[in-house]
């Protein structure tokens, strides 16, 4: 049995240290940290086990912290979008951590944020950050003027973080948040789906259509999503996790550490996923080098795959079969991936992405009985002999997600890529393994009498 997890939103002006605080909690970089205002634009979630800081806080095991973008209050469509993201994070949270910059002092923006947060009628804990030594703690006194109770002097510097977080945990205990957790039964494993593509192909728009609200910030600037974002949802009574990522550019077009880290995060999103949804812009009329590289990464990482063609509503001469054949030709190493044509703008066929994802996830976990597998392989190899030197004695399924077959042969060097592809394609047809990569574990048989 587990508890429903407590959610705590971290809010504040840009560059006050929210993401540094968040990254210290998780013990690594999940939110982007760089000395530029407005770096974090979307909401980033992390499940934190407080035990790693203090054993006496064992009852804080199930806490989700939500990092948010810096509030700026400018008449700018991007920052209006950030504010909307912050408010969504606060609405779903049980408590608010309002972080400020102690060295900067109380600013007009801090006052606006305080007023905005009060409207939500939720516990607010005021952290005064960047007070990196005890002789600076007196600077937090100025923040009483925000009328949010006792401010906590805080530091995200590694040497001070452990000691100052103790005061925060004590305040969380005072708020008695843990009693809100309700017992529930642990759920089974569920599909994790990553959305990948070049910048501005419509990844975030597709995500928003799927979940029905703006979980990820959408703005008409390529590269708006710079973090990998997780969204849980229930579809057809099944739990899914969607991971939205920054658009991947060619290395020559990755500017600075900030965007390089976003690219790295997108790849990590792929590593965490079971299924990769490769999103392509139909209006561009072809497959770019970046998209071929992405497809190659999906193949190499042995992920289930769906190819989604977005912006189909903007195509005047629609010939789906011809376009599908073109995509299959350009991305022939992903020829097992189903192709879905959608419009994020109109919502046309968007749910087909989830339908296909559930099918692929089921295919990733298929188990084929050994006798049935060997019968199929004998029939497949009898139909077409590509290498007369190869003898396949026996095969068995040795893994799922990805599907892995261990095959015993006379000499592994004769099990060449052309022959393995032929057998793979035939097995996909025979057992309905659409969207699924196949991994081969080829071994030299020590028992030639096997059949």
């Amino acid at each position: 049995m587990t508890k429903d997890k407590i959610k705590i939103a971290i809010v504040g002006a840009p560059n006050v240290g929210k993401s540094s605080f968040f990254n210290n909690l998780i013990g690594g970089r999940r939110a982007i940290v760089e000395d530029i205002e407005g770096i974090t634009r979307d909401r980033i979630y992390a499940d934190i086990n407080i035990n790693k800081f203090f054993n006496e806080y064992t009852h804080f095991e199930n806490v989700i912290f939500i990092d948010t973008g810096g509030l700026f209050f400018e008449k700018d469509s991007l920052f209006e979008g950030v504010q909307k993201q912050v408010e969504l994070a606060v609405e779903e949270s049980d408590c608010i951590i309002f972080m400020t910059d102690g060295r900067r002092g109380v600013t007009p923006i801090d006052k606006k944020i305080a007023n905005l947060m009060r409207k939500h009628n939720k516990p607010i804990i005021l952290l005064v950050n960047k007070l990196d030594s005890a002789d600076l703690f007196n600077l937090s006194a100025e923040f009483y003027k925000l009328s949010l109770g006792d401010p906590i002097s805080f530091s995200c510097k590694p040497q001070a973080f452990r000691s100052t977080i103790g005061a925060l945990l004590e305040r969380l205990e005072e708020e008695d948040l843990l009693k809100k957790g309700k017992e529930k039964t642990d759920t089974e494993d569920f599909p994790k789906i990553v959305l990948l593509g070049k910048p501005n192909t419509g990844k975030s728009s597709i995500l928003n259509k799927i979940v029905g609200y703006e979980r990820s910030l959408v703005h008409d600037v390529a590269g708006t999503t710079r973090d990998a974002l997780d969204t849980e949802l229930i579809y057809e009574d099944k739990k899914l996790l969607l991971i939205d990522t920054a658009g991947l550019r060619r290395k020559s077009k990755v500017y600075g550490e900030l965007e390089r880290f976003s690219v790295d995060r997108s790849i990590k999103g792929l590593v965490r996923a079971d299924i990769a949804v490769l999103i392509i812009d139909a209006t561009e009329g072809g497959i770019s080098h970046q998209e071929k590289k992405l497809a190659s990464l999906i193949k190499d990482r042995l992920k289930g795959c769906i190819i989604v063609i977005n912006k189909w509503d903007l195509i005047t001469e629609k010939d789906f079969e011809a376009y599908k054949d073109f995509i299959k030709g350009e991305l022939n190493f992903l020829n097992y991936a189903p192709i879905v044509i959608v419009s994020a703008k109109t919502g046309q066929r968007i749910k087909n992405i989830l339908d296909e994802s559930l099918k692929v996830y089921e295919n990733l976990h298929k188990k084929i009985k050994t006798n049935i597998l060997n019968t199929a392989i004998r029939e497949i190899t009898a139909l077409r002999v590509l290498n007369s030197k190869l003898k396949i004695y026996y095969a068995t399924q040795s893994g799922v997600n990805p599907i892995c077959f261990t095959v015993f042969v006379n000499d592994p060097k004769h099990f060449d890529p052309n022959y393995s592809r032929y057998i793979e394609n035939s097995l996909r047809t025979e057992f309905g393994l659409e969207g699924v990569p196949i991994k081969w574990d080829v071994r030299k048989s020590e028992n030639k009498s096997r059949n």
Side-chain angles (χ1 to χ4, degrees):
M1 301 291 283
T2 59
K3 285 186 176 182
D4 285 333
K5 296 178 181 179
I6 306 304
K7 292 183 180 179
I8 300 174
I10 309 164
V11 306
N15 214 29
V16 296
K18 298 184 299 300
S19 293
S20 294
F21 169 71
F22 186 79
N23 290 337
N24 278 337
L25 284 172
I26 66 176
R29 291 202 306 179
R30 177 94 184 269
I32 298 174
V33 177
E34 192 167 296
D35 197 19
I36 304 172
E37 291 191 343
I39 292 296
T40 301
R41 296 169 171 177
D42 293 302
R43 316 198 298 285
I44 315 296
Y45 294 69
D47 192 345
I48 306 297
N49 188 339
I50 301 298
N51 278 340
K52 63 184 176 182
F53 298 107
F54 298 100
N55 289 334
E56 59 265 34
Y57 294 100
T58 55
H59 48 292
F60 275 102
E61 286 181 39
N62 301 312
V63 180
I64 293 176
F65 284 85
I66 310 172
D67 188 25
T68 66
L71 287 167
F72 229 74
F73 299 99
E74 290 188 354
K75 290 184 178 180
D76 177 283
S77 59
L78 183 57
F79 283 106
E80 286 173 5
V82 170
Q83 181 174 342
K84 184 174 182 179
Q85 291 292 310
V86 172
E87 297 220 30
L88 286 169
V90 170
E91 285 173 11
E92 67 175 304
S93 68
D94 301 289
C95 177
I96 303 164
I97 290 177
F98 175 20
M99 184 168 283
T100 59
D101 184 338
R103 298 193 182 192
R104 189 189 299 170
V106 176
T107 67
I109 292 176
D110 291 332
K111 293 177 181 178
K112 289 182 180 180
I113 295 173
N115 290 333
L116 182 64
M117 293 302 110
R118 283 193 195 94
K119 295 177 182 178
H120 291 275
N121 293 317
K122 295 189 177 184
I124 301 173
I125 298 174
L126 179 60
L127 284 191
V128 183
N129 192 30
K130 302 189 181 181
L131 304 183
D132 301 331
S133 60
D135 57 349
L136 296 175
F137 283 5
N138 63 312
L139 295 178
S140 65
E142 180 186 352
F143 289 82
Y144 277 102
K145 66 175 66 174
L146 294 176
S147 300
L148 294 174
D150 296 334
I152 298 175
S153 299
F154 204 83
S155 173
C156 290
K157 295 290 185 182
Q159 63 273 21
F161 182 77
R162 189 179 181 87
S163 59
T164 54
I165 197 175
L168 169 62
L169 297 179
E170 288 174 7
R171 186 68 59 81
L172 288 172
E173 281 198 307
E174 291 172 11
E175 296 295 343
D176 209 15
L177 291 170
L178 296 170
K179 289 183 179 178
K180 296 180 180 179
K182 296 181 180 178
E183 297 292 333
K184 65 176 182 179
T185 304
D186 289 332
T187 57
E188 297 178 354
D189 194 19
F190 53 91
K192 300 170 188 66
I193 305 162
V194 64
L195 307 181
L196 294 174
K198 293 194 310 180
N200 220 27
T201 56
K203 298 181 300 298
S204 295
S205 296
I206 287 173
L207 176 60
N208 293 338
K209 280 290 183 183
I210 289 172
V211 301
Y213 68 96
E214 289 199 6
R215 164 65 180 84
S216 181
L217 174 61
V218 177
H219 191 265
D220 288 330
V221 177
T224 298
T225 300
R226 294 193 287 191
D227 288 302
L229 308 173
D230 293 356
T231 298
E232 289 185 2
L233 73 153
I234 303 296
Y235 179 73
E236 300 291 345
D237 296 324
K238 294 180 177 65
K239 183 178 178 181
L240 305 174
L241 180 73
L242 298 179
I243 306 168
D244 187 19
T245 62
L248 293 188
R249 305 173 191 264
R250 295 180 66 176
K251 284 187 178 180
S252 61
K253 294 185 179 180
V254 176
Y255 303 110
E257 288 299 318
L258 171 59
E259 193 161 0
R260 193 170 292 116
F261 179 51
S262 288
V263 170
D264 180 59
R265 184 77 50 72
S266 297
I267 294 171
K268 287 182 178 178
L270 174 61
V271 171
R272 290 195 293 130
D274 303 298
I275 301 160
V277 176
L278 177 58
I279 299 171
I280 294 169
D281 185 342
T283 64
E284 294 194 356
I287 303 298
S288 68
H289 173 82
Q290 300 98 299
E291 286 159 340
K292 289 181 180 178
K293 179 62 177 176
L294 266 176
S296 178
L297 285 170
I298 294 167
K299 171 73 172 177
D300 292 345
R301 295 286 181 176
L302 296 171
K303 300 299 179 181
C305 184
I306 298 163
I307 298 172
V308 171
I309 310 301
N310 189 27
K311 306 184 185 180
W312 192 246
D313 55 304
L314 301 179
I315 302 299
T316 53
E317 296 183 9
K318 294 178 171 64
D319 187 338
F320 172 57
E321 291 303 321
Y323 196 85
K324 186 168 70 171
D325 290 343
F326 168 73
I327 296 295
K328 293 280 188 183
E330 290 291 300
L331 301 177
N332 59 350
F333 47 90
L334 284 182
N335 63 354
Y336 56 85
I339 297 176
V340 179
I341 289 184
V342 305
S343 168
K345 184 176 181 180
T346 67
Q348 186 181 28
R349 290 186 287 269
I350 286 291
K351 288 192 175 182
N352 289 1
I353 298 172
L354 298 183
D355 293 332
E356 290 295 332
S357 295
L358 290 176
K359 290 178 187 175
V360 170
Y361 187 74
E362 183 179 336
N363 292 345
L364 282 166
H365 292 83
K366 277 188 176 178
K367 295 180 180 178
I368 304 168
K369 291 182 179 180
T370 300
N371 62 325
I372 295 174
L373 175 64
N374 280 278
T375 299
I377 289 179
R378 280 196 297 271
E379 292 175 353
I380 290 166
T381 54
L383 287 172
R384 188 177 181 186
V385 178
L386 295 183
N387 188 337
S388 59
K389 295 181 180 179
L390 175 67
K391 295 185 183 299
I392 299 177
Y393 298 114
Y394 178 80
T396 185
Q397 184 175 348
S398 51
V400 296
N401 196 16
I403 297 288
C404 182
F405 296 124
T406 297
V407 57
F408 295 89
V409 301
N410 60 330
D411 190 340
K413 73 181 181 183
H414 296 317
F415 196 81
D416 58 67
N418 287 334
Y419 205 44
S420 67
R421 276 195 298 271
Y422 163 63
I423 297 176
E424 276 181 34
N425 292 335
S426 300
L427 289 176
R428 282 199 189 92
T429 302
E430 178 71 20
F431 297 111
L433 298 177
E434 187 179 28
V436 173
I438 293 176
K439 179 181 179 181
W440 292 100
D441 177 14
V442 184
R443 303 184 186 183
K444 181 178 176 61
S445 176
E446 302 299 332
N447 182 3
K448 293 184 181 180
S449 64
R450 277 177 153 160
N451 51 58

